[in-house]
Amino acid sequence: MTASPTSPAVAGSLSVAGSFSVAGSFPLAGSFPLAGSRATVPPTATASAWWRDAVVYQVYIRSFVDANGDGIGDLAGIITGLDHLEALGVDAIWLTPCYPSPQLDHGYDVADYFAVDPVYGDLATFDRLVAEARRRSIRVLMDVVPNHCSSEHAWFRAALDAAPGSPERARFYFRDGRGRLGELPPNNWRSVFGGSTWTRVTEADGSPGQWYLHTFSPWQPDFDWSCPDVVAMFRSMLTFWFDRGVEGFRADAVAVVGKAPELPDAPPVPEGTAENDAWAHNPYTVFWPTAHDHWRDWRRLIDDYEAANPGREIVTVSEAYTPDRPDLLLRFVNPEQFHQSFCFDLMLAPWRVDTLRATIEPVEATLSAAGAPLTWTMNNHDTQRAVTRYGRSDAAELSSWTKNNLVYTGTPVDLALGTVRARAAIALVAALPGSLYLFQGEELGLPEVLDLPLGARQDPIFFRTDGREPGRDGCRVPLPWSADPTTSYGFSPATSPATSTATSTATSTATSPATVSPWMPQPGGWGNYSVEQQHDAPESMLALYRSVLSARRACLDPDAGLEWPTSTHPDVLMFHRGDVTVVVNVGADEVMIADVCASAPRLASSRLLLSSSAGHDDPTRLPGNTCCWFASS
Ligand code: NOJ
Ligand code: CA
C-alpha cells in the first residue's frame, strides 16, 4: 500500500524493517504510568549544572566535514573538526539528526531512532565521536524528533499495510475523509511547510482510503502520543543514547506534539496571515496541553537516570517558538519538564534599540523570576543567517519583523553592514545570562547563500510552496575549511571516494584527484570564509568569536542578572551585568562614551574589555554598529 504522493527517490536501500535494535528491553506495546508517583529523586541541581551557561555548537552533520569523500558530511568528519571547536571554546555540540532517514527533511524524517544512517557512519563511529569529544571536554547532544517519523519508518509502513481501525494505524492519526466518498481531507488544518496537513492513502484492495495527518511534509507522519507504543518507544530511545554517553537532547517541534482528540476544524486565520503562518494559528495543536504529560515523564526518566548514574548531568532543550510570550516558555522550561527552551525572540528582532531591549528584558525578567534558565541563539539551520538578516535594507524596520523564521523578506542585502552588525550581535548575546547555542559557520561569518540554483534546492518548504518561499537550503551550505576549491574548500578530502578513508582530514591540501561535488553547491569565493583563512587573522570573525567566548568565561559572573540604566542616546542599548557594562551602538554613526555616561557613571572610569569592531581599542568612542564590554573593576 502506498501513500498517494510519490516519495522522491531515496538513494540506496534503507533497511527499516524490524530496526529497533534496543538490547533486550523495548516494549512493543503496553503502557507505563504517566501520572504515577514521582521517583524519590531530587531534581537536578540546576544552579550549578554545566549547561546553565554553556556554549553549545550546533553541528548540521551533512554540511560540517565530509571525511569519506562522498560529498556529504559525516560522523568521522565531525571528529576531524573537534580541534576547531575546542579552540573556539564550546562546551558541547548538538548533532542534527543522524538516524537512518530518507533525508527528505535532512534527518527530521527519522526511519529508525536506534541507529545511525549509513551515509553518516555507524554506531562504532558514533561512540568514537563521543569519546573524542569527551577527551576535549566537549559533551555530545542529539536531536530527538517526537512529533513525527519518516513515512519509511517500519511502524508507518505497517500502518499502511494494516486496515482502518487497526493497532498499527493507532500509532498515527489515520482518519476517514469528508465528502460523500471520503474524498475531502478530515479537517482544514494547514501544514507548516505549505498545503494541507492530510494525505490520502490507497488501501490494500486498491481503493482510495483513509487520510493521515502530517504537520510538516507528507513524508513526516505525526505520531499519536495517546498510543502507549509511542510513549514507550521514545523512553527506550532516550535511554539507548544516554547509555552511549549522549548528554542530552534538543527536542524538535514540541509545540505541535499533541492534538485535540476530535481534530476539529481550525478557526479562520486573521486577515493578511501569510501562507506559511496559517498553521501557527491552529489552537487544536499549537501548544495543545496534553504533550506536557510526556515531557514530565521524560524528566522523571532523566532524573532517575542521573540518580542511577552518578556524574551524569543531562540536559534537554525544547524548540518552541513563542513570539512575544515568554510566559509560554515557562510551560516548557521548568523543573518538571525541559531543562532549557530556546528564547527565539531575539533572533527574530530587527536591529534597533527598542526591539532588542523589548525582546531581552521581558524574557530575562519572566524566566529569571521563575528560576528558569535562559537559552539564547542567533542562528540555526531553519533561519536565514544573521549576516544576511542584519544586512537587509529593512533590517532596522519593524515591518521586517515577521516573527516567523521561515518567512523572509527579499530586500537587498549589504553584506559588509550585515557583518559588522552580526559581530556586534554575538558580543551582545554572549554577554547575556544563560546558555548560548551557536550554529555552525556563524563563527566564520558565513552569509545566507541566496542564489542557489533552483535545481539544487532540496528543502520541502521550497517544493510545498511551489517556490514561493525559498526555504532553508541557503544556511545549510557545506562549510569552508580551506581555500582549496578542488576539495570543496576543505569540506571533502582530496581523494576520490574509491580511495578515501574514514580518517581523512578536513584540511587536507593534496590536490588530485578532484573531490566529488558537495551535496549542496558552495558559491565561488567560499574559501575566503574558511577556517584556514581566518585562523591567524586577528580581525576575522573567527578571532572575534574566540575572544568573545573566552571573555564570557573569564569576565562574566554566571549568577549576575541584568540591570538597565536609562540610555541617554537613541541608538545606544546599555546594560550592566555584574561588574561588566555592555554598550551597543545600533546606529551607523560613532557615539562618544562620554555622551552615554550620564546614566551609567561607572563607564567613565571603566576599562574596555572587548569591542566587536575590528581594530577598535579606544575606550572613549563607540563606533557605529558596535558592541563593547567595559569592566568597572
Ligand atoms: C524543526 C526543525 O528544526 C526543522 O529543521 C524541521 O524541518 C522541522 N522541525 C520538522 O521536524
Ligand atoms: Ca561523507
Side-chain angles (χ1 to χ4, degrees), residues 477-509:
V477 173
L479 289 195
W481 292 85
S482 78
D484 176 11
T486 68
T487 60
S488 303
Y489 304 108
F491 170 66
S492 290
T495 50
S496 66
T499 57
S500 67
T501 69
T503 53
S504 307
T505 62
T507 51
S508 168
T509 52

Side-chain angles (χ1 to χ4, degrees), residues 115-399:
V116 167
D117 193 308
V119 165
Y120 295 141
D122 52 25
L123 283 173
T125 315
F126 185 90
D127 293 344
R128 198 155 57 82
L129 168 60
V130 172
E132 286 293 329
R134 187 177 290 156
R135 211 160 60 72
R136 295 166 176 83
S137 302
I138 295 174
R139 292 165 164 96
V140 175
L141 313 182
M142 294 183 84
D143 210 313
V144 56
V145 187
N147 179 66
H148 48 270
C149 58
S150 160
S151 49
E152 294 298 316
H153 191 285
W155 277 4
F156 191 72
R157 308 292 323 164
L160 291 179
D161 285 344
S166 61
E168 286 84 357
R169 289 202 174 178
R171 295 169 178 148
F172 301 93
Y173 291 98
F174 277 84
R175 296 290 184 275
D176 294 334
R178 297 199 282 205
R180 203 170 57 83
L181 301 171
E183 73 280 14
L184 299 172
N187 69 24
N188 66 354
W189 293 10
R190 307 299 293 169
S191 127
V192 177
F193 289 167
S196 167
T197 51
W198 294 95
T199 290
R200 196 169 193 187
V201 303
T202 304
E203 302 295 356
D205 61 2
S207 63
Q210 288 195 299
W211 300 68
Y212 69 89
L213 185 149
H214 48 83
T215 298
F216 295 91
S217 76
W219 306 286
Q220 295 162 296
D222 283 28
F223 284 118
D224 183 342
W225 273 78
S226 68
C227 173
D229 290 0
V230 174
V231 175
M233 192 268 275
F234 278 97
R235 297 193 106 226
S236 289
M237 181 230 172
L238 296 179
T239 309
F240 176 85
W241 294 103
F242 293 152
D243 285 347
R244 301 198 95 89
V246 168
E247 212 60 6
F249 284 90
R250 174 262 193 189
D252 185 73
V254 293
V256 291
V257 174
K259 277 90 185 159
E262 302 304 324
L263 306 178
D265 269 343
V269 297
E271 199 156 330
T273 302
E275 177 185 4
N276 273 52
D277 256 348
W279 68 272
H281 296 273
N282 181 351
Y284 299 121
T285 174
V286 179
F287 302 126
W288 189 256
T290 51
H292 294 284
D293 290 340
H294 304 297
W295 313 143
R296 284 187 200 96
D297 179 59
W298 282 15
R299 186 60 174 263
R300 281 193 294 266
L301 180 144
I302 289 169
D303 290 347
D304 290 350
Y305 192 90
E306 288 176 333
N309 295 275
R312 297 296 298 272
E313 263 189 310
I314 285 161
V315 62
T316 51
V317 52
S318 63
E319 184 216 23
Y321 285 81
T322 60
D324 291 337
R325 294 286 307 273
D327 57 308
L328 286 184
L329 280 178
L330 289 174
R331 291 194 194 167
F332 295 90
V333 54
N334 59 60
E336 296 196 333
Q337 299 184 55
F338 294 100
H339 303 78
Q340 302 181 320
S341 192
F342 288 116
C343 312
F344 286 119
D345 283 6
L346 185 56
M347 179 176 85
L348 301 175
W351 188 245
R352 41 193 287 154
V353 168
D354 54 355
T355 48
L356 292 174
R357 180 162 174 181
T359 52
I360 298 168
E361 197 177 6
V363 170
E364 201 255 350
T366 307
L367 269 66
S368 299
L374 295 145
T375 309
W376 304 102
T377 189
M378 298 301 262
N379 289 281
N380 63 35
H381 65 293
D382 295 329
T383 306
Q384 264 197 12
R385 286 190 177 272
V387 164
T388 300
R389 289 198 317 266
Y390 292 135
R392 294 261 180 216
S393 59
D394 58 359
E397 288 170 24
L398 287 175
S399 60

